Amino acid sequence: MKKILYILTAALVFSACSSESTEQTNQNEFKTYKWRLVTAWPKNYPGLGMAPERIAKLVEEMSQGQMQITVFGAGEQVQAFGVFDAVSSGSHQMGHSGSYFWKGKVPAAQFFTAVPFGLTADEINAWIHRGDGLELWREVYEPFNLYPIPAGNTGTQMFGWFNKEINSIEDIKGLKMRIPGLGGEVFKRAGGIPITLPAGELFTSLQTGVIDATEWVGPYNDLTFGFHQAADYYYYPGWHEPGPMLELIINIDAWNSLPDHLKIIIETAAKAVNQDLLDEYTAMNNSALKELVDVHGVQLRKLPDDVIESFRKISEEVIEESIATDPVMKKVYDSYSKFKQDVSEYHEISEDAFVEARQKGGN
Ligand code: CA
């Protein structure tokens, strides 16, 4: 008898729990979500800064108003470099930034933005979405209670703005340059002084001599900041950021509270904007470069081959040394470098060979 009672009671308790959780799920299914998204970019900044705005708009439209996301520029609620902590702690549900800003907290995060002489935009998209990249990124961020989603790519950047010519690697010595991530580590090893500054402080810092040089993005974004008014030489190629990927980060508890259809909507909106941002840069960089050179008289310069070669060698040393002392970095880089090797082999005879053929044809 006791046994039967126990089974009956257990069945009742189970059924109560299960109907309670179904009710909870149903409530979440229809409830309205109002989230706050903090960014590392000035409010409404073209390109980078508009990416989270577009994600918010798409999510609201696709969810028919069930999910409303308010986007805040850097400094409005949280400073540019406070985005990671704000979302990790749950004070804000979402953030938009670059993972390499968090190298002091999570060194392995740098591989998900940009690696010197690493993957281009198409290639990092493929590693993240079709290789092991995204799974590794989520594993690396999980201890920080963060769920990352790729959300934008600028394409290959420019090396940046300088007030003197770079004729040899010796010219890097003592130069104070805003250059974040692994690129900054390489710059330091070359004798330079890398400085990390948020976007909003770059122009004034360059103009007042707080820094001697800065990298930012490329012609489209650099023109909006007016760097040509503070520096004469504009150097390429952007060996340090061949295809930087931006991140949408979400507090895991907030993420887990969402019904499945809203999770799918957010992932889909971010993926659409990830490509859309790259298209925007591809479309806008050309006319911006013409304006910089033809209207503003900017001196466009290619880094000498031996300087590029020095940066390449130093990059290999810096990465090798970093992964030797950090098993998480090693795990991520093993996947990244294997993907890079495989993808390079085909790209050498496809895209690289084609671009070379097109240039020789004079088109
Ligand atoms: Ca950059």
Side-chain angles (χ1 to χ4, degrees):
M1 188 59 192
K2 264 187 182 170
K3 197 174 176 188
I4 291 171
L5 263 180
Y6 172 77
I7 290 169
L8 275 175
T9 313
L12 276 173
V13 167
F14 176 76
S15 123
C17 283
S18 121
S19 73
E20 202 172 275
S21 87
T22 311
E23 208 170 280
Q24 184 63 42
T25 308
N26 285 341
Q27 276 174 8
N28 287 358
E29 199 79 14
F30 300 108
K31 113 181 206 202
T32 301
Y33 291 83
K34 290 188 178 181
W35 278 17
R36 292 183 301 164
L37 188 161
V38 285
T39 78
W41 329 115
K43 179 73 180 166
N44 289 330
Y45 187 71
L48 306 167
M50 289 308 290
E53 304 278 354
R54 281 183 219 155
I55 291 170
K57 188 166 180 281
L58 277 175
V59 168
E60 186 161 345
E61 285 171 359
M62 287 197 277
S63 70
Q64 297 184 306
Q66 191 188 356
M67 179 141 215
Q68 294 155 23
I69 301 167
T70 307
V71 179
F72 296 95
E76 287 191 305
Q77 295 209 332
V78 166
Q79 294 305 313
F81 296 144
V83 170
F84 186 95
D85 286 344
V87 181
S88 175
S89 72
S91 80
H92 292 74
Q93 295 90 350
M94 283 178 143
H96 190 265
S97 55
S99 63
Y100 63 5
F101 292 144
W102 323 128
K103 72 176 181 185
K105 300 172 196 293
V106 203
Q110 297 175 95
F111 294 124
F112 305 108
T113 311
V115 175
F117 300 94
L119 299 172
T120 63
D122 284 346
E123 293 167 351
I124 196 171
N125 270 327
W127 175 59
I128 292 283
H129 291 121
R130 295 284 177 163
D132 301 329
L134 190 52
E135 199 185 317
L136 286 164
W137 197 355
R138 289 185 176 159
E139 194 180 309
V140 168
Y141 270 22
E142 209 260 331
F144 300 91
N145 212 31
L146 291 171
Y147 184 83
I149 302 178
N153 197 302
T154 67
T156 307
Q157 298 200 349
M158 293 288 284
F159 182 41
W161 296 87
F162 295 79
N163 266 314
K164 64 169 198 172
E165 287 190 69
I166 306 297
N167 296 315
S168 83
I169 197 74
E170 293 299 309
D171 290 326
I172 297 299
K173 292 216 161 80
L175 214 58
K176 282 181 286 178
M177 179 175 184
R178 183 269 183 183
I179 175 167
L182 287 161
E185 297 299 316
V186 175
F187 190 76
K188 188 174 172 184
R189 183 75 61 99
I193 304 161
I195 291 174
T196 303
L197 287 170
E201 293 176 25
L202 296 184
F203 179 77
T204 310
S205 303
L206 187 61
Q207 200 182 36
T208 56
V210 170
I211 49 176
D212 304 311
T214 189
E215 72 84 58
W216 176 226
V217 180
Y220 170 46
N221 269 165
D222 294 5
L223 178 65
T224 62
F225 268 153
F227 293 137
H228 55 279
Q229 296 166 47
D232 297 328
Y233 301 103
Y234 196 20
Y235 271 94
Y236 67 95
W239 55 269
H240 63 306
E241 299 197 16
M245 175 164 268
L246 305 173
E247 64 177 11
L248 180 69
I249 47 175
I250 303 174
N251 178 277
I252 286 183
D253 301 322
W255 178 251
N256 290 338
S257 76
L258 292 179
D260 286 347
H261 71 278
L262 289 182
K263 289 181 182 170
I264 294 167
I265 285 174
I266 292 171
E267 299 248 19
T268 306
K271 204 165 184 179
V273 169
N274 186 56
Q275 181 65 45
D276 185 45
L277 192 68
L278 182 60
D279 296 346
E280 183 182 359
Y281 281 101
T282 304
M284 303 297 283
N285 274 330
N286 314 299
S287 58
L289 181 63
K290 275 202 181 75
E291 187 178 335
L292 286 169
V293 174
D294 296 345
V295 180
H296 301 294
V298 164
Q299 301 289 308
L300 194 59
R301 292 279 193 280
K302 182 173 186 280
L303 278 175
D305 289 348
D306 61 326
V307 174
I308 296 176
E309 198 44 42
S310 297
F311 279 133
R312 184 205 299 278
K313 280 191 189 135
I314 298 171
S315 297
E316 283 167 13
E317 288 168 21
V318 164
I319 292 170
E320 285 305 319
E321 284 175 28
S322 303
I323 63 173
T325 53
D326 184 328
V328 182
M329 281 185 97
K330 183 174 184 326
K331 186 176 177 183
V332 177
Y333 190 65
D334 282 351
S335 163
Y336 185 101
S337 61
K338 168 79 171 64
F339 195 92
K340 184 181 139 192
Q341 189 179 339
D342 291 348
V343 87
S344 302
E345 280 173 21
Y346 178 61
H347 276 177
E348 272 170 32
I349 61 157
S350 55
E351 298 196 18
D352 302 354
F354 169 71
V355 169
E356 197 190 340
R358 185 170 68 177
Q359 283 165 345
K360 283 185 178 154
N363 294 312

